[in-house]
Amino acid sequence: MNRWIWTAVGVAAVTGAFFIPSQTGSIWPSVLLSSGTAMVFLAVYLLGEWKSAAGSKKAIGVVLLLLMLFTVASAAIYYRGSLQQEQILMDIRETIFHGIAKTQIQEPMLTTLREYYYPQDERGEQNLQEIFTGKYGSKIGDDDLFQYGQDRDDPSPMIFVETLEPGRIVMVGQSPIAKGIQEEYQNYDGSAGLVQTRGVLTPEGVRYEVEN
Amino acid sequence: MKWKTKFIRWLPWIVSFAVAAILLLFLGIWPYEIADRVSVLESINMFSSGTPTMRPYWNDRILSLVGIVLFFVVGPVLWFSSEDSRPDRSGELSNGFQPKSLMWYLGAILTLTGLLFGVAGTAFQLFHQTNIEQSVQRSRNADHLRQEISTLGLQAAELFLLPHDRGGGNGSFTRIPNGNGSFHPITLEDLEAYQPEQLNAGTYHLDEVTDSTILIYGVGTHDGKEPDFKNINGETGRNQVVVLIEPFDKIMRFQSQLRN
C-alpha cells in the first residue's frame, strides 16, 4: 500500500480516537485512546510491510518496536504520576481540614471550660451556654456558622454550633470538599458524603470524634 | 578502511539522531508530559474549589494530538517506507554513502525524537516520582505527628482544667489524683488518647512538667529536614514536633524552634 495512504489511514484513526471521549474534563482518556490506536496502527503497518523488508529496513523496524515499548512505558508512568498527584492533593486537603477543625472546635470549648471552672468574669459562676455566648456569640451567624478567625467568603472548614444549652455545647465541623468514609452520609448542611467531625462540651470535659 | 565505510553508511542515522537529540531539548510536544501538566492544573483547581473546571484546554489537547500523529504515524511510515531495501546496495556511492531522501530524514528525525522522548521521559519520571514519594512520606508523617500530638495536647489541657472530683488536676499539671487521696505529676498514660499501639505516626514524650505548663514531644517514623538533628529520644534526624500546653494562656502552641 502506498505510504501516503498508510499515513492518511493512521492520521484519521488516531485523530478519530482522540475525539471519541468527552473534550471537557480529564485529557487522559483522549491521549490514551489515541495512543493505543497509534500503537495498533504501527503494529498493523509493520506486520503488513515486514515481509517485503530487508537489510536496514528491518533495523528501522526494530527501532519502531523500541519506540512502541518506550511509549507504553512512558504513558503508564506519566498516567500513574498524574493519579498519584491527584490523590496527594486530596489527602492534603483532608489533613488540613482535620487540623483546622480540631483546633477551631476544641480551643473555644476548652476556653469555655476554663472560664467555667476558673471564672475571671466579674459576674462569677456562669453556665457553659452563658460563657460561650459571651465570648463567641458575635461569631455565630443565623445559619449556625461559626466564624472562628476565618473569612466568611472562604469558610474552610465550616464549623457550625449545633447545640447551645446550659450544660452542653455541640459543634460540628464539615469540609466543603473532602470526601468522607461513607458516600451516603448526610452532612449537617444537607450535603452528602463529606468529612464531618463533632465536638461535645459538658462539665465533664470535651468529647471529639470523626463522624464521617 | 572498513570502519570508515561502515561509518559513512551509518552517517544518515547519526545525523538524524543528533538532530533528534537537539529537538528533544526544544520541542515540548511529548503527549504524556502535556497530559500530566494539564492534570496537575486540574488537580490544583479541585484542591482550591472542590469542583473540576471542565475547561477543554484546547491548545494542550491539539498539541498532544499533533505529537501522537507526528511521532507514531507520520514519522515511522515516512522513515520505514523511504528506506532502500535493495540487498545489492546498488544505490550506494563509491565511498559507501547511500543518499537518503528528504522524506527519509523527516521520518527518521521524527521517529528518533519520539524514541528519545520515550526513553528520557520514562527515566526522568521514574526518578522524579521516587523523589516525590519520599518527600510525600516525610510530609505525611509530619502531618500525622501534628494531628496526634494535637489530640494529646488538647486532652492534657482538659485534664489540667477539670477539678479533682472529675479526675483532673484542678488547675495543675503536678496534682493529678491517684484515686486514693494522693496526687502525681501528669504522665502520658493519664490521657485517654495515649494508646501507643494506635499512635502510628511516632513516639511521644513528656518533658519540662511544671505546675502550669508541659511540653509534649513527638518523634516521627520518617526522617526530617536535618539529618543531624538530635531527637529528644536519642535518635538522629527524625521528624520531630513539640507543643507547649499552657491552659491558662493560649492553651496549645507548637514550638517551631524545637522541631525538625
Side-chain angles (χ1 to χ4, degrees):
Chain A
M1 196 155 82
N2 180 270
R3 79 165 81 148
W4 299 116
I5 297 174
W6 273 115
T7 306
V9 166
V11 171
V14 165
T15 306
F18 190 91
F19 288 103
I20 288 174
S22 166
Q23 297 303 298
T24 53
S26 175
I27 193 177
W28 277 108
S30 292
V31 168
L32 291 177
L33 190 59
S34 59
S35 299
T37 305
M39 294 303 109
V40 169
F41 166 79
L42 262 183
V44 169
Y45 174 71
L46 280 177
L47 279 171
E49 300 289 304
W50 192 261
K51 276 189 190 153
S52 58
S56 50
K57 220 166 182 168
K58 291 212 161 154
I60 294 176
V62 171
V63 174
L64 295 185
L65 285 173
L66 284 174
L67 173 68
M68 290 164 72
L69 191 71
F70 278 103
T71 298
V72 169
S74 182
I77 288 167
Y78 270 100
Y79 182 57
R80 178 175 157 255
S82 278
L83 292 179
Q84 271 183 346
Q85 196 83 262
E86 207 177 301
Q87 188 55 47
I88 286 167
L89 286 173
M90 290 315 294
D91 286 349
I92 291 171
R93 180 100 214 177
E94 197 178 317
T95 302
I96 290 173
F97 164 79
H98 280 296
I100 295 176
K102 191 195 292 272
T103 306
Q104 293 191 358
I105 289 175
Q106 292 195 282
E107 278 193 1
M109 286 189 166
L110 285 171
T111 307
T112 304
L113 192 70
R114 182 176 69 194
E115 186 64 28
Y116 180 77
Y117 283 114
Y118 311 95
Q120 304 291 308
D121 200 286
E122 292 165 348
R123 282 169 286 181
E125 285 185 16
Q126 297 176 275
N127 63 43
L128 293 176
Q129 181 184 12
E130 286 165 337
I131 296 167
F132 191 91
T133 310
K135 282 184 174 301
Y136 305 110
S138 59
K139 295 184 185 297
I140 307 172
D142 292 336
D143 49 2
D144 300 337
L145 194 62
F146 183 63
Q147 289 169 254
Y148 187 66
Q150 75 270 39
D151 187 358
R152 192 174 180 85
D153 292 331
D154 179 27
S156 178
M158 297 185 290
I159 310 290
F160 299 96
V161 180
E162 186 190 63
T163 304
L164 264 183
E165 291 170 358
R168 191 164 171 268
I169 294 171
V170 181
M171 294 171 74
V172 175
Q174 180 191 308
S175 171
I177 297 166
K179 302 283 180 221
I181 305 162
Q182 297 171 47
E183 267 186 41
E184 62 283 353
Y185 181 85
Q186 274 302 115
N187 290 107
Y188 183 83
D189 72 344
S191 309
L194 301 173
V195 179
Q196 182 164 303
T197 60
R198 178 181 297 268
V200 179
L201 171 66
T202 63
E204 278 90 40
V206 177
R207 285 292 164 263
Y208 184 83
E209 60 176 359
V210 177
E211 293 191 312
N212 188 40
Chain B
M1 288 171 74
K2 223 175 176 181
W3 69 265
K4 195 176 169 186
T5 310
K6 275 194 174 169
F7 174 76
I8 289 171
R9 269 197 204 123
W10 286 101
L11 196 55
W13 286 66
I14 295 167
V15 166
S16 303
F17 189 88
V19 173
I22 293 168
L23 282 180
L24 180 73
L25 300 172
F26 297 104
L27 267 187
I29 58 170
W30 188 236
Y32 313 109
E33 197 184 323
I34 295 171
D36 185 48
R37 192 175 65 233
V38 170
S39 276
V40 167
L41 286 173
E42 273 302 303
S43 295
I44 292 171
N45 284 328
M46 271 290 287
F47 179 87
S48 312
S49 66
T51 50
T53 61
M54 304 306 277
R55 272 182 63 193
Y57 295 96
W58 280 121
N59 284 351
D60 296 295
R61 283 181 188 266
I62 299 302
L63 217 52
S64 61
L65 177 60
V66 166
I68 293 169
V69 164
L70 288 179
F71 294 136
F72 307 136
V73 177
V74 173
V77 171
L78 287 184
W79 193 20
F80 194 82
S81 60
S82 302
E83 175 65 16
D84 187 350
S85 61
R86 286 173 291 181
D88 59 359
R89 294 208 179 105
S90 50
E92 265 183 25
L93 299 179
S94 55
N95 61 358
F97 181 73
Q98 187 172 43
K100 304 292 184 191
S101 65
L102 183 64
M103 291 296 122
W104 188 99
Y105 280 104
L106 185 62
I109 289 168
L110 283 174
T111 306
L112 289 172
T113 307
L115 180 61
L116 286 175
F117 264 124
V119 172
T122 303
F124 174 76
Q125 268 296 98
L126 274 173
F127 174 74
H128 181 57
Q129 282 181 17
T130 305
N131 278 349
I132 283 183
E133 215 153 305
Q134 286 172 356
S135 176
V136 163
Q137 291 299 335
R138 185 169 60 234
S139 297
R140 201 170 266 157
N141 181 232
D143 289 337
H144 284 156
L145 258 184
R146 288 178 71 95
Q147 276 186 0
E148 288 179 354
I149 210 172
S150 294
T151 302
L152 293 173
L154 290 167
Q155 268 199 2
E158 181 190 325
L159 192 65
F160 173 98
L161 293 171
L162 289 173
H164 288 322
D165 58 6
R166 294 200 195 271
N170 202 46
S172 168
F173 279 124
T174 55
R175 291 175 60 79
I176 307 299
N178 288 322
N180 57 6
S182 61
F183 303 94
H184 67 271
I186 190 172
T187 63
L188 287 175
E189 284 75 11
D190 292 318
L191 307 176
E192 203 179 306
Y194 186 70
Q195 309 282 338
E197 64 279 3
Q198 290 177 15
L199 295 170
N200 301 317
T203 56
Y204 299 91
H205 313 269
L206 211 54
D207 199 27
E208 296 181 28
V209 176
T210 71
D211 207 53
S212 57
T213 64
I214 56 172
L215 278 177
I216 304 179
Y217 286 74
V219 179
T221 52
H222 285 67
D223 289 339
K225 286 182 196 162
E226 294 173 32
D228 300 325
F229 184 87
K230 296 275 181 260
N231 295 108
I232 185 88
N233 62 352
E235 291 186 82
T236 307
R238 294 296 197 184
N239 271 332
Q240 180 166 296
V241 293
V242 189
V243 286
L244 170 70
I245 309 302
E246 197 170 9
F248 280 149
D249 194 345
K250 287 196 182 344
I251 306 215
M252 183 171 76
R253 270 176 289 172
F254 281 89
Q255 303 296 289
S256 55
Q257 71 277 16
L258 295 171
R259 66 180 278 191
N260 185 29

